[in-house]
Amino acid sequence: TICFYYHWYGSEEVNGSNIHWRHLIKPPVPGDPPLGEIPGTDNKIGSDFFPEAGTYSSTDVNTIRRHMQQFVKARIGVIVLTWWSPDEYTLSSVPAIMDEAGKAGIKVTLNIEPYGGRSVSTVRQDLVRFIDTYRDHRALYKVDGKPLIFVYNALEFGREEWLSILGKSSPNTIRGTSIDSYMIGLAYEVNEEPDRLKSYGFDGVYTYFGSPQ
């Protein structure tokens, strides 16, 4: 089983502030459950419930180790990190996550998010940064010897842009190189989007939101 893992939280105790806990996906509307409240404060977190572990820090090794144990208990074999390059906060926890995942027998890969300034060229740089660092790490998830990488909002860029790194004949291609990967693009709809992504050079598609079709 593959599970997306959001390691973007910070706590006052570890990081000096509660990072990302107050994030709201959408404004509340009448009928929504109340947001979870941080005990002893007036703060609310972006969730209907308050986590049993409290407002933990994703950079805390003990928290990471506990999460890996929970993944094992839930029989989750692969976790997909939220990759916000060049966000140094989320990237700072990756070394500890890789090491603790390796100890627990968990495999790790990336979901390359739509960070500010992202382009097809920076996605290639992300692959270089991650794969070159962890290619021999026991936690790196590979299929037939190649990493499997998810790309959120892949349709943000067009066919020619993606083929510049995913096309076999492009001078800047990843195909046949040391960073060659199975690239999986996000499809919002089940109509023509999977075929579009295939024509862009992607190896597969995934869904994140329920499609109306």
Side-chain angles (χ1 to χ4, degrees):
T1 300
I2 296 177
C3 176
F4 285 77
Y5 180 47
Y6 290 86
H7 51 108
W8 55 14
Y9 296 104
S11 68
E12 290 185 358
E13 295 79 9
V14 176
N15 309 103
S17 62
N18 285 310
I19 301 171
H20 216 273
W21 286 106
R22 299 183 67 181
H23 174 69
L24 291 175
I25 299 299
K26 65 178 181 62
V29 298
D32 279 354
L35 293 177
E37 295 185 358
I38 301 177
T41 76
D42 294 327
N43 294 330
K44 297 178 182 294
I45 64 173
S47 171
D48 297 339
F49 305 99
F50 190 81
E52 182 178 352
T55 48
Y56 58 79
S57 169
S58 295
T59 63
D60 177 61
V61 174
N62 290 326
T63 294
I64 295 170
R65 186 174 298 125
R66 182 178 70 251
H67 286 169
M68 297 307 124
Q69 294 168 351
Q70 292 171 336
F71 286 133
V72 170
K73 187 175 181 179
R75 297 185 180 180
I76 292 168
V78 182
I79 59 173
V80 185
L81 304 185
T82 182
W83 182 271
W84 292 89
S85 181
D87 180 354
E88 293 301 331
Y89 179 73
T90 54
L91 298 190
S92 67
S93 59
V94 173
I97 291 172
M98 294 294 293
D99 289 343
E100 293 302 321
K103 294 174 186 177
I106 301 290
K107 299 298 184 181
V108 182
T109 188
L110 302 184
N111 185 34
I112 300 178
E113 304 278 8
Y115 53 79
R118 189 182 75 163
S119 67
V120 168
S121 295
T122 67
V123 169
R124 192 185 193 285
Q125 293 170 13
D126 294 331
L127 296 177
V128 171
R129 182 174 188 175
F130 181 68
I131 296 172
D132 278 357
T133 302
Y134 297 108
R135 70 173 61 258
D136 297 323
H137 199 289
R138 59 180 174 176
L140 179 62
Y141 181 52
K142 298 178 183 178
V143 178
D144 298 329
K146 294 196 300 186
L148 187 148
I149 304 292
F150 296 86
V151 181
Y152 191 91
N153 202 17
L155 292 170
E156 174 184 14
F157 306 111
R159 181 174 183 272
E160 295 306 315
E161 291 173 286
W162 279 118
L163 287 177
S164 70
I165 68 168
L166 301 183
K168 293 181 180 180
S169 60
S170 170
N172 203 35
T173 186
I174 69 169
R175 301 308 184 190
T177 72
S178 63
I179 59 170
D180 197 356
S181 305
Y182 288 110
M183 301 294 287
I184 311 299
L186 175 66
Y188 292 98
E189 305 287 347
V190 298
N191 45 26
E192 87 286 355
E193 290 186 356
D195 287 337
R196 284 174 60 193
L197 288 165
K198 181 179 180 181
S199 75
Y200 291 2
F202 280 87
D203 302 293
V205 302
Y206 73 107
T207 59
Y208 194 89
F209 304 100
S211 172
Q213 301 182 16

